[in-house]
Structure formats: C-alpha cells, structure tokens
C-alpha cells in the first residue's frame, strides 16, 4: 500500500487547478488528471475518491483557506465577550486575503457559479467554507446581542449581512477579465469599511 503524503496531495491539487482552468469542471476528468501526473487512477482515487472531493480540495486550497482561518479567529474569541470592532476587522481582513491569490480564487468562484444550477458544486463550495464562517459569526453575534453590544435581530441574518458587506467591493472583480492585484493594505481598508458600516447599522436602539 502506498503511503499518502501531503506533498503528493499538494501536487495533485496543483495539477487539478491547471486542468480545471483549461477544461472547466465539466470537461475535466480524473483519467486526464492521472495521465498528467504520470500515475494511476487508483493512486489518484486514494487521495480523492471522486471528482467532487477533488474539487473540494481545490476550493480549500485556493478559495476558502483564508476563510477557515477567519472562522478560527472568531471561534477562539466567542466565549471571551470580545470588543467587536477589532475582532471583526481582523477576521474580515483574513477572509479577504483570498484576493491576494486573485486569479485562481476567481477561477474557482466562476466554476462554482457556472455549475451551481446543474450540480452539487455550489453546496460543496458553501460547506467548504462560507457556512462555517457564517455559523461562527452567528454565535458571536448572538452573544453580543445578549450583552447589549448589538441591536437584537436574527443573528444568522446579521452574519449573512456582515459577510455581504465584506465582499461588496470585491464582487465586481468576478466580471473583469484581468483584475489588477490587490495589496494587503487595500484588503484591510475594505474590511475596516465593512466593519464600520455593519456596527453603525447594528448599534443598540433605545
């Protein structure tokens, strides 16, 4: 039995994103990927039992890795009754750092949108990152509402609204053929604007 290694998994992911970029999700096949890697399909399936799971690996590597880090930042602070502004700026900036890997991240998002209406790709993408971040934010906001730090409303809706504010300025990049690279400073500024607007709208009301 061959021993699985992280290095080999990373090689497969790198080859997969190149194949997806050339052929799209529908046109890519595990057979072609195995051919490019110079190995057997059996070895490939040992790492990823299906093309869907391979795509999840690609999503996690190129589109939701920073989102997972942002989720961890929020979850680590939930029980500490933290000040919201600095925490949300930190987590929001971390989430948006996916834009530093802009070309491949946008490629993944475009594949998801193209396939979402005819396959489970959209649900796979959502489970691989956005839902986990939304759940963590929901718990954070529920606690903040109980303490009177946020206006009382459905915390799950508040989480979705905050995530929408974070991505509001980056959405148009999906429609650009060659979006210019973004700096870390620009990303942090966008996160700060989203946090300021969210907290202003979420102020407790008399």
């Amino acid at each position: 039995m061959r021993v699985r290694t992280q290095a080999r998994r990373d090689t497969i992911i790198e080859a997969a994103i190149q194949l997806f970029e050339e052929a799209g999700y529908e046109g890519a096949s595990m057979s072609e990927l195995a051919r490019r890697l110079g190995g057997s399909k059996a070895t490939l399936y040992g790492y990823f039992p299906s093309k869907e799971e391979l795509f999840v690996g690609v999503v996690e590597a190129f589109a939701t890795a920073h989102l997972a880090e942002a989720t961890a930042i929020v979850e680590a602070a939930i029980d500490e009754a933290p000040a919201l502004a600095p925490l949300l700026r930190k987590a929001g900036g971390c989430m948006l750092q996916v834009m530093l890997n802009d070309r491949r991240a946008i490629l993944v998002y475009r594949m998801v949108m193209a396939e979402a209406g005819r396959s489970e790709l959209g649900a796979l993408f959502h489970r691989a990152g956005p839902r986990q971040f939304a759940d963590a934010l929901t718990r954070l906001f529920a606690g903040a509402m109980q303490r009177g730090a946020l206006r009382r409303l459905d915390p799950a809706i508040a989480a979705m609204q905050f995530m929408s504010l974070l991505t509001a300025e980056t959405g148009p990049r999906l429609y650009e053929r060659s979006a210019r690279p973004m700096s870390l400073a620009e990303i942090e500024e966008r996160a700060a604007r989203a946090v300021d607007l969210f907290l202003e709208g979420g102020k407790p009301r008399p």
Side-chain angles (χ1 to χ4, degrees), residues 19-100:
L19 178 58
F20 284 137
E21 185 170 11
E22 295 170 17
Y25 178 80
E26 188 64 28
S29 70
M30 298 292 270
S31 297
E32 173 59 18
L33 183 59
R35 187 191 68 77
R36 294 186 179 197
L37 289 165
S40 68
K41 286 177 64 177
T43 299
L44 182 57
Y45 281 117
Y47 285 87
F48 299 100
S50 67
K51 187 167 74 170
E52 290 79 9
E53 292 193 35
L54 174 64
F55 182 75
V56 170
V58 169
V59 165
E60 291 172 345
F62 297 106
T64 63
H66 292 296
L67 195 52
E69 293 175 21
T71 300
I73 289 169
V74 172
E75 288 181 337
I78 286 175
D79 296 330
E80 300 175 1
L84 288 178
L87 175 62
L88 292 177
R89 289 192 188 108
K90 182 179 180 181
C94 184
M95 170 186 168
L96 291 180
Q97 284 181 33
V98 68
M99 304 309 293
L100 295 173

Side-chain angles (χ1 to χ4, degrees), residues 60 67-68 71-72 74-75 125-139 163:
E60 291 172 345
L67 195 52
T71 300
V74 172
E75 288 181 337
F125 173 81
H126 188 64
R127 287 197 298 269
R131 187 174 71 182
Q132 297 172 32
F133 189 45
D135 289 346
L137 288 171
T138 296
R139 297 195 300 275
M163 291 173 68

Side-chain angles (χ1 to χ4, degrees), residues 2 10 82 91 101 103 126 131 145 167 185 188 193:
R2 291 180 180 270
D10 292 344
N101 179 34
R103 184 180 64 82
H126 188 64
R131 187 174 71 182
M145 290 171 192
T167 57
E188 291 174 344
R193 285 194 291 268

